[in-house]
Each structure stands twice: as structure tokens, then as C-alpha cells.
């Protein structure tokens, strides 16, 4: 477990997810990594997830195993898309992703027109306030980890 995740630096499910996403981008077989490494990472992630999910995050939400599996599946599905993927709290936000809008919609992402981004969360969203929050305000409140930045395609020739 310590080979892939530093347990002393991971205190919440959100931090674990962010580290998992970083490892996914680096070691996923579609990105040139080994299948055996990804299997080890998944086993370590599941073990740590079991420990951390018993704790509650800032909003008092307890994560379930079903949410964990769904999150991993969504992240695996979008890890090779050339777009910016960001984890804010327990949400996935995707920007610079017009080319993938149909795939995102199929995966259950919702378009947030005011934020100009696609968002995914494991359960239906329930607003607890009447004020509209900007994406920057949400980043400040819950923290943000950018997993994948859209790379610029350069023309050759």
C-alpha cells in the first residue's frame, strides 16, 4: 500500500481520489503504464478507501462502496480524453471538452452553463443554499486538484 500511496498524507476520501487520479494518469495502460501496476494501485486504493470512507468529509457525507466503484469507473472512462479534469470536493469537473460532450453526457455528466463546465457527482445534486456559487468560489471552499490539463495540439509541417 505504501508503494503507491503515502498514508500519512491522505486524510480524506477526496485526497485519496486526487492521488488515485494522479497515479491513473501516470500509470494507466492506455498511457503506456503496466497492467500489473494499475492492478496494484487499485488494490491499494480499495484498502485505503475502506479506511477513509468510514470517516466523514467536510460536508458530513459518508461515502459508500458503490460510490467508490462508480467514481473509479468514471475516472477510467475519461482519463484519456484531451481535456482539463478537476476534482473539487467529491465532484469531477471537466472543461475544454467540447469534443467529448456526447461521451460525457452518456457517462452522466451534466452541463453547467454558468460555469461553462461539465460536472459529475455520484448522487443527485441537492442545493443547500439559494446563492449561485462560481467555480472559483467552489474551489476555495472545497479545494481543487487538477488531474489532467488539456494539451495543445501543434500543427506539424
Amino acid at each position: 500500500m505504501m508503494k503507491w500511496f503515502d498514508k500519512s498524507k491522505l486524510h480524506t476520501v477526496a485526497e485519496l481520489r486526487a492521488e488515485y487520479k494522479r497515479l491513473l494518469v501516470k500509470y494507466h495502460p492506455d498511457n503506456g503504464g503496466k497492467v500489473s501496476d494499475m492492478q496494484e494501485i487499485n488494490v491499494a486504493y480499495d484498502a485505503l478507501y475502506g479506511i477513509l470512507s468510514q470517516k466523514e468529509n467536510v460536508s458530513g457525507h459518508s461515502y459508500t462502496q458503490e460510490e467508490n466503484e462508480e467514481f473509479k469507473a468514471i475516472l477510467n472512462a475519461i482519463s484519456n480524453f484531451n481535456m482539463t479534469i478537476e476534482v473539487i470536493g467529491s465532484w469531477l469537473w471537466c472543461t475544454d471538452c467540447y469534443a467529448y460532450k456526447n461521451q460525457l453526457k452518456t457517462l452522466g455528466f451534466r452541463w453547467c452553463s454558468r460555469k461553462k463546465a461539465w460536472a459529475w457527482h455520484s448522487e443527485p445534486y441537492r442545493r443547500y443554499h439559494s446563492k449561485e456559487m462560481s467555480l472559483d468560489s467552489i474551489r476555495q471552499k472545497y479545494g481543487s486538484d487538477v488531474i489532467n490539463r488539456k494539451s495543445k495540439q501543434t500543427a506539424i509541417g
Side-chain angles (χ1 to χ4, degrees):
M1 189 172 353
M2 297 304 270
K3 178 180 177 182
W4 299 107
F5 297 97
D6 185 355
K7 191 175 175 183
S8 65
K9 294 181 181 178
L10 302 172
H11 304 291
T12 66
V13 171
E15 291 172 353
L16 176 63
R17 285 180 169 177
E19 182 63 14
Y20 175 76
K21 287 176 231 154
R22 188 188 69 74
L23 292 171
L24 179 69
V25 168
K26 188 172 182 179
Y27 294 104
H28 195 278
D30 291 344
N31 295 336
K34 297 179 189 172
V35 172
S36 60
D37 287 348
M38 250 347 278
Q39 290 170 337
E40 288 178 18
I41 291 168
N42 283 330
V43 168
Y45 174 84
D46 289 339
L48 273 175
Y49 179 85
I51 295 166
L52 294 175
S53 66
Q54 294 174 0
K55 298 177 183 179
E56 291 189 345
N57 69 7
V58 176
S59 65
H61 176 75
S62 294
Y63 292 93
T64 65
Q65 187 64 28
E66 293 78 26
E67 289 173 317
N68 176 42
E69 294 303 320
E70 190 177 9
F71 179 82
K72 283 173 39 178
I74 294 293
L75 195 56
N76 273 314
I78 66 172
S79 65
N80 291 322
F81 292 179
N82 184 22
M83 63 183 177
T84 301
I85 303 169
E86 188 173 4
V87 179
I88 303 175
S90 59
W91 291 62
L92 288 174
W93 290 87
C94 300
T95 54
D96 304 320
C97 53
Y98 182 79
Y100 304 102
K101 70 178 188 169
N102 292 330
Q103 292 99 320
L104 293 172
K105 192 183 254 186
T106 302
L107 291 169
F109 281 78
R110 290 186 33 220
W111 174 248
C112 301
S113 60
R114 291 187 181 155
K115 294 172 181 63
K116 306 257 188 281
W118 287 87
W120 180 88
H121 189 258
S122 63
E123 59 186 39
Y125 174 66
R126 291 164 58 205
R127 183 183 282 202
Y128 294 102
H129 51 79
S130 59
K131 181 181 171 189
E132 180 72 29
M133 292 180 71
S134 70
L135 204 48
D136 286 333
S137 298
I138 296 170
R139 284 182 185 109
Q140 285 180 332
K141 184 172 182 176
Y142 296 105
S144 169
D145 292 305
V146 175
I147 303 309
N148 188 25
R149 290 216 187 266
K150 181 176 183 174
S151 63
K152 295 186 178 181
Q153 303 292 330
T154 57
I156 298 175

